[in-house]
Amino acid sequence: MAWSTELWTGLRSLIRLYDKMLKKVCTEHDLTVMEADVISFLQNNPGKDTAVDIVELRGLSKGAVSKAVESLIQKSLLERIPDTEDRRRIHLRIKPEAKPVTEMIDEVRREFLDAVLDGFGQEELEAHTRFFQRMFDNTRRELERRGK
């Protein structure tokens, strides 16, 4: 298998595993995977708190994110906060009622990282971090060069 094929296959497997582990949160708290994904995104990306941020950074469909956000608001887990400078921007905030969900998402994330990083030493993790950071920097530069 070519290196690029292994990379894509590996990335998809990582996402599938995380989604599979996240289903435990969904079952326990009566959420869809998309709803849990929205809460997880907001929890882990301070300052990236609009539906547009979720769509752009996670590569999810606008309709699916909108539906999940609306459902989470109806479930009293999320609230909309109008931007003070730009009325068109609406920020999303996780409500205190979502604490059991966010705690469980934290637990799932720890389990996920423990599973996928099992057996790696500190030096290996640091080398991989540098490798991926350089790869992501190269990707960003190339996207900018090509006009995103």
Side-chain angles (χ1 to χ4, degrees):
M1 195 181 308
W3 185 85
S4 62
T5 303
E6 286 182 32
L7 176 65
W8 290 117
T9 303
L11 289 173
R12 284 189 193 104
S13 294
L14 282 170
I15 292 166
R16 262 196 336 269
L17 175 61
Y18 185 73
D19 285 348
K20 188 174 205 158
M21 294 173 84
L22 199 58
K23 284 187 181 177
K24 178 169 75 170
V25 177
C26 299
T27 302
E28 179 91 12
H29 296 283
D30 193 30
L31 300 172
T32 66
V33 173
M34 183 62 71
E35 290 167 348
D37 203 18
V38 166
I39 291 174
S40 178
F41 178 89
L42 292 169
Q43 180 182 6
N44 294 307
N45 296 283
K48 303 291 185 188
D49 62 356
T50 68
V52 171
D53 291 331
I54 298 167
V55 168
E56 289 178 357
L57 297 173
R58 286 284 286 122
L60 301 170
S61 87
K62 188 176 178 179
V65 170
S66 179
K67 183 178 176 185
V69 165
E70 195 55 45
S71 178
L72 289 166
I73 289 168
Q74 294 300 315
K75 293 177 182 182
S76 296
L77 299 176
L78 211 60
E79 62 184 332
R80 290 186 184 97
I81 310 293
D83 191 285
T84 55
E85 296 174 15
D86 183 351
R87 293 181 323 153
R88 295 170 297 173
R89 279 180 62 86
I90 304 293
H91 300 277
L92 302 170
R93 183 168 47 201
I94 299 171
K95 293 179 76 173
E97 292 86 341
K99 187 172 172 79
V101 176
T102 59
E103 287 175 346
M104 196 168 187
I105 287 171
D106 283 341
E107 179 184 317
V108 165
R109 186 175 314 96
R110 280 190 299 275
E111 289 175 14
F112 173 77
L113 290 173
D114 286 348
V116 300
L117 299 177
D118 185 42
F120 283 96
Q122 191 61 36
E123 284 183 31
E124 288 175 297
L125 292 172
E126 288 170 6
H128 281 88
T129 298
R130 287 190 305 273
F131 171 84
F132 280 109
Q133 190 58 57
R134 189 178 322 160
M135 189 169 67
F136 298 150
D137 289 344
N138 290 345
T139 302
R140 269 191 294 281
R141 269 195 312 280
E142 188 62 21
L143 280 169
E144 287 170 8
R145 188 181 77 74
R146 293 174 184 254
K148 290 191 180 185

